């Protein structure tokens, strides 16, 4: 090899996980896994590399425009997956009837997007997904929101600090159809409504006008978006709006699940993805300090059919690692850093390496998490490193100890030392 | 969205992990993590997408020819990493002196290679890596081999069923220099020696002749490759061969670690990667049933320098998921499949959904892993599914039970039922 000077940065927009970062990440993932298991969900995964065709949808999907896609050496159009749901759909299609429904599956998947440089936005993140396949009842939605709520409580967020904003594509669709907006125009209006939260009612009205929506209709749409709560919604939309019964039942079960107190019905929530068909929801920090959604989900009963299979009820959520870790860090809810080392074996010189190796093997077999400090550095350096690593005990081996068949066990908290027999 | 028919296969050469496969994978990963922690190693990770320049090395590295590389939309030459070591080196270079050495780091990383279609070879796999950075003594090698051995024992492989073949690049280099082969020719001979195990001595001699190695020298090389054991090696190479003392000390410490019984000194082990500088080893199924190495490792003290940093002692191993899972499956050592579901709540009709949701929330808060079967199917279907899912108990809720404020808890093994109070 010849010497070179390499770029020591990770690829633009991607993250390195040094041990300290990795411990935070694994702490988060372990909570996600525990909650998923508590709800009886099974974990699945697939390769981060996917067929590009899975993501090519109609206009209006931000995700299609932000694909991290390329052509491989074999001429295949492939992409680093931007989200996991199309992969889930593909896997279910591939197995067909051999998978007993309903399925309750979860995954923790790295997802990519390629977008022009923008401050604070990464090109990859990890996303916890839970999906229920084959259950048309909103009980599925409540299971998923309950899991999200259980996770948020497990990591120390009080119920009142989280707000679920819940809407229903069917309510919007039925209401807009009553106003004469359907088909392609409905999709276009959804794209606009999705921006409403960021751009406000005036800009929304302007965009609606550009789509040929007349002023009275635009006012009616904006009025729907400003409605909060199921009773006000029932007064606004017609009694035969099919999503209304769904949302009533959802709130009923949410009450039973103990999470109704943090729910708001809010039709301004649309979520970007074009495949949603029923309920959609987003989960926010109730204080409003974090402007981006912590998580979101929705029902997409038509996706399998659009990919060439049978129509199948599906509902799921995505929960990214970035926003929640920022939020938890801001609240001081991340755990203290712990390297997980119990004992450090310290041979004073290379003459004691064999005894140190034997001692470490015996202690590890005994269930201890053990490092050997083979550095042959002076006591103060070794003890400083052992303390920095968070070890509880230093096991000291000099020539005298080995000759006596013992080692000195020093407590790093009390500094007390005692002699212990060396294993043979 | 318009209907389409998608390719339901994963990208060529990549794997889907359905829940059953995922449980096997996570069982393996959990063992890897437990062993790493027992040895006091810290986990790290980086993005699977890396700068291509990290992998462009001299000829002779199979890995450079098999890069899954491409140009991204920003004109960057990037690759799906083929191995983790260059990433580790990059991360260490980026932090410099702020990382206290020695480092003991591990990772479980997905790695990619792009090769022409070949039966049974995937284009991605997961690889457990442990590396020690900043320790020049072979104690580091023995730590790593001990961890591999501890893992193999933890998954049920007896010590006698595993063989570590150990060699040293320095021995080969010093010996060949004595025969007049050095520099570029040494690298070329290494590439040939690396194939010796597969192609045999005659073909090796032919390839050596093609490199201009005379017959007497080729015979001397082949003689070295046929030597087994440290004593025979000491008789073959000169006393001042610097690798000899390393291997003697390695065997001494391996004895202390309790793993010397499964070690063989064998200079035919070279390992493909051009960056190795000292010890190299491979770990094999001792029965010979599995022809491919189960794992391999080596010392690469010059890599950081070649990437533009300070020369730093580094040693590490890679342990892939594919060969070991095949081997364990063949020996019947994989665990029985268990979905991890304790209880299934069964509301007989939608009228009992709220009570079922409440009951599930209470049982989950109590630490149980609970599904609710909202299917409203008949008893025999629900019980068959609960049994297939491996649940222990069915919690039955009909109108009569809810009216009485109870549920029926049915043991799926004894079929006994008893009434329990519904949580309020």
């Amino acid at each position: 090899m010849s010497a070179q000077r390499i770029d020591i940065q990770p690829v633009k927009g991607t993250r390195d996980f040094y041990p300290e970062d990795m411990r935070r990440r694994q702490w988060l993932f372990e909570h996600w896994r525990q909650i998923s298991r508590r709800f009886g969900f099974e974990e699945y995964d697939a390769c981060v590399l996917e067929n590009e065709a899975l993501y090519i949808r109609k206009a209006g999907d931000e995700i299609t425009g932000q694909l991290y896609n390329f052509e491989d050496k074999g001429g295949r159009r492939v992409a680093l997956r931007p989200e996991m749901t199309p992969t889930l759909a593909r896997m279910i299609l591939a197995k067909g009837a051999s998978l007993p429904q309903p399925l309750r599956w979860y995954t923790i998947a790295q997802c990519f997007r390629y977008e022009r440089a923008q401050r604070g936005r990464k090109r990859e993140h990890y996303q916890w997904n839970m999906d229920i396949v084959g259950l048309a009842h909103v009980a599925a939605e409540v299971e998923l929101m309950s899991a999200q709520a259980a996770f948020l409580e497990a990591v120390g967020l009080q119920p009142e600090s989280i707000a679920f904003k819940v809407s229903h594509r069917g309510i919007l669709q039925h209401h807009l159809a009553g106003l004469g907006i359907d088909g392609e125009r409905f999709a276009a209006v959804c794209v606009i409504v999705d921006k409403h939260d960021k751009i406000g009612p005036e800009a929304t009205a302007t965009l609606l006008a550009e789509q040929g929506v007349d002023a009275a209709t635009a006012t009616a749409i904006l009025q729907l978006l400003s409605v909060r709560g199921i009773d006000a919604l029932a007064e606004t939309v017609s009694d035969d709006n099919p999503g209304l019964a769904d949302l009533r039942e959802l709130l009923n079960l949410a009450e039973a699940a103990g999470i109704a107190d943090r729910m708001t019905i809010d039709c301004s929530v649309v979520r970007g993805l074009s495949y949603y068909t029923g309920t959609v929801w987003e989960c926010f920090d109730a204080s409003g300090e974090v402007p981006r959604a912590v998580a979101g989900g929705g029902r997409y009963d038509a996706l399998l059919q659009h990919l060439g299979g049978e129509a199948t009820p599906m509902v799921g959520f995505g929960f990214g690692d970035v926003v929640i870790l920022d939020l938890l860090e801001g609240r001081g809810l991340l755990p203290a850093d712990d390297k997980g080392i119990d004992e450090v074996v310290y041979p004073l010189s290379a003459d004691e390496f064999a005894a140190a190796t034997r001692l470490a093997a015996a202690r590890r077999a005994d269930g201890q998490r053990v490092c050997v400090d083979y550095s042959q550095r002076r006591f103060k350096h070794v003890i400083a490193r052992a303390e920095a690593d968070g070890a509880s005990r230093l096991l000291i081996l000099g020539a005298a100890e080995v000759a006596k068949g013992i080692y000195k066990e020093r407590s790093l908290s009390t500094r007390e030392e005692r002699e212990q027999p060396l294993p043979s």
Side-chain angles (χ1 to χ4, degrees), chain A:
Chain A
M1 296 189 301
S2 51
Q4 51 173 326
R5 182 156 286 280
I6 57 149
D7 185 355
I8 56 176
Q9 297 305 314
V11 172
K12 185 171 183 179
T14 71
R15 294 171 292 175
D16 285 335
F17 289 88
Y18 285 88
E20 190 184 341
D21 313 308
M22 191 64 184
R23 283 188 282 273
R24 286 165 43 130
R25 182 178 120 185
Q26 293 294 65
W27 173 85
L28 177 69
F29 286 10
E30 194 43 47
H31 276 287
W32 283 345
R33 289 203 164 92
Q34 277 177 11
I35 295 296
S36 301
R37 287 192 287 252
R38 196 190 293 174
F39 281 74
F41 279 60
E42 299 181 76
E43 189 169 6
Y44 73 100
D45 197 11
C47 191
V48 68
L49 194 65
E50 268 287 6
N51 295 303
E52 183 194 82
L54 264 184
Y55 312 107
I56 306 301
R57 293 191 288 261
K58 263 196 203 169
D61 258 10
E62 197 183 38
I63 225 154
T64 300
Q66 294 184 350
L67 270 186
Y68 211 129
N69 54 353
F70 58 97
E71 185 171 298
D72 80 8
K73 290 175 178 175
R76 286 170 208 85
R77 293 298 311 176
V78 290
L80 299 173
R81 64 178 168 229
E83 52 152 343
M84 201 61 177
T85 307
T87 296
L88 172 66
R90 178 180 65 66
M91 287 174 67
I92 289 166
L93 278 178
K95 288 279 182 185
S98 71
L99 293 172
Q101 291 183 5
L103 301 175
R104 294 169 297 265
W105 283 10
Y106 80 97
T107 192
I108 299 173
Q110 194 179 24
C111 298
F112 287 80
R113 64 181 160 206
Y114 193 94
E115 50 178 356
R116 295 292 154 193
Q118 197 177 335
R119 203 154 49 95
R121 299 203 83 182
K122 291 287 171 187
R123 288 185 174 164
E124 53 81 21
H125 74 298
Y126 285 87
Q127 198 177 83
W128 175 35
N129 278 216
M130 290 175 82
D131 290 86
I132 297 178
V133 180
L135 180 57
H137 197 278
V138 289
E141 278 86 334
V142 176
E143 283 279 286
L144 298 180
M145 288 188 231
S146 295
Q148 294 182 317
F151 161 76
L152 293 165
E153 286 190 47
V155 294
L157 288 167
Q158 299 301 312
E160 61 272 20
S161 67
I162 292 297
F164 286 91
K165 294 185 186 175
V166 185
S167 182
H168 195 295
R169 283 274 176 97
I171 287 184
L172 198 62
Q173 191 162 8
H174 188 268
H175 194 66
L176 288 177
L179 297 167
I181 295 172
D182 52 16
E184 292 288 330
R185 283 181 81 209
F186 172 67
V189 169
C190 273
V191 173
I192 297 168
V193 169
D194 195 32
K195 296 176 182 157
H196 172 262
D197 217 34
K198 284 180 195 149
I199 64 176
E202 284 182 31
T204 302
T206 306
L207 290 176
L208 288 172
E210 285 172 10
Q211 283 292 329
V213 176
D214 64 61
T217 306
T219 302
I221 292 171
L222 286 170
Q223 205 271 318
L224 179 69
L225 303 187
S226 69
V227 156
R228 294 292 175 271
I230 190 76
D231 295 335
L233 182 64
E235 286 168 20
T236 305
V237 302
S238 64
D239 291 343
D240 63 341
N241 192 310
L244 204 55
D246 274 358
L247 289 188
R248 281 197 199 281
E249 179 63 6
L250 188 152
L251 287 174
N252 177 39
L253 293 182
E255 181 71 36
I259 58 170
D261 54 345
R262 62 213 83 164
M263 287 204 179
T264 312
I265 301 296
D266 178 346
C267 288
S268 74
V269 171
V270 170
R271 301 198 49 70
L273 298 167
S274 62
Y275 54 62
Y276 287 124
T277 53
T279 51
V280 285
W281 74 89
E282 289 185 342
C283 178
F284 287 90
D285 163 43
S287 75
E289 285 165 29
V290 181
R292 294 172 60 191
V294 172
R299 180 170 283 278
Y300 51 101
D301 291 350
L303 182 60
L304 274 198
Q305 192 172 35
H306 284 297
L307 294 176
E310 300 285 311
T312 304
M314 296 175 82
V315 54
F317 70 73
F319 201 128
D321 64 335
V322 177
V323 176
I324 187 66
L325 281 176
D326 282 354
L327 192 158
L328 292 172
E329 183 165 42
R331 305 277 164 89
L333 291 172
L334 292 180
D337 197 38
D338 175 10
K339 293 186 183 174
I341 294 170
D342 298 316
E343 301 180 337
V344 175
V345 176
Y346 172 32
L348 297 183
S349 80
D351 290 340
E352 291 81 43
F353 277 9
T357 297
R358 186 174 289 111
L359 176 57
R363 299 297 298 162
R364 286 167 182 153
D366 210 36
Q368 301 297 314
R369 296 167 300 180
V370 181
C371 289
V372 185
D373 190 324
Y374 289 106
S375 67
Q376 303 181 65
R377 295 203 296 175
R378 292 170 59 197
F379 187 71
K380 69 171 184 178
H381 291 293
V382 171
I383 212 161
R385 174 71 190 265
E387 284 176 346
D389 284 354
S392 302
R393 290 172 294 282
L394 195 66
L395 314 186
I396 305 164
L397 281 168
E401 285 79 15
V402 173
K404 281 175 67 180
I406 58 114
Y407 64 93
K408 278 192 200 147
E409 179 186 301
R410 180 190 174 94
S411 162
L412 289 171
S413 52
T414 67
R415 300 185 183 187
E416 280 170 25
E417 283 190 2
R418 55 177 186 165
E419 295 190 350
Q420 299 277 22
L422 267 180
S424 55

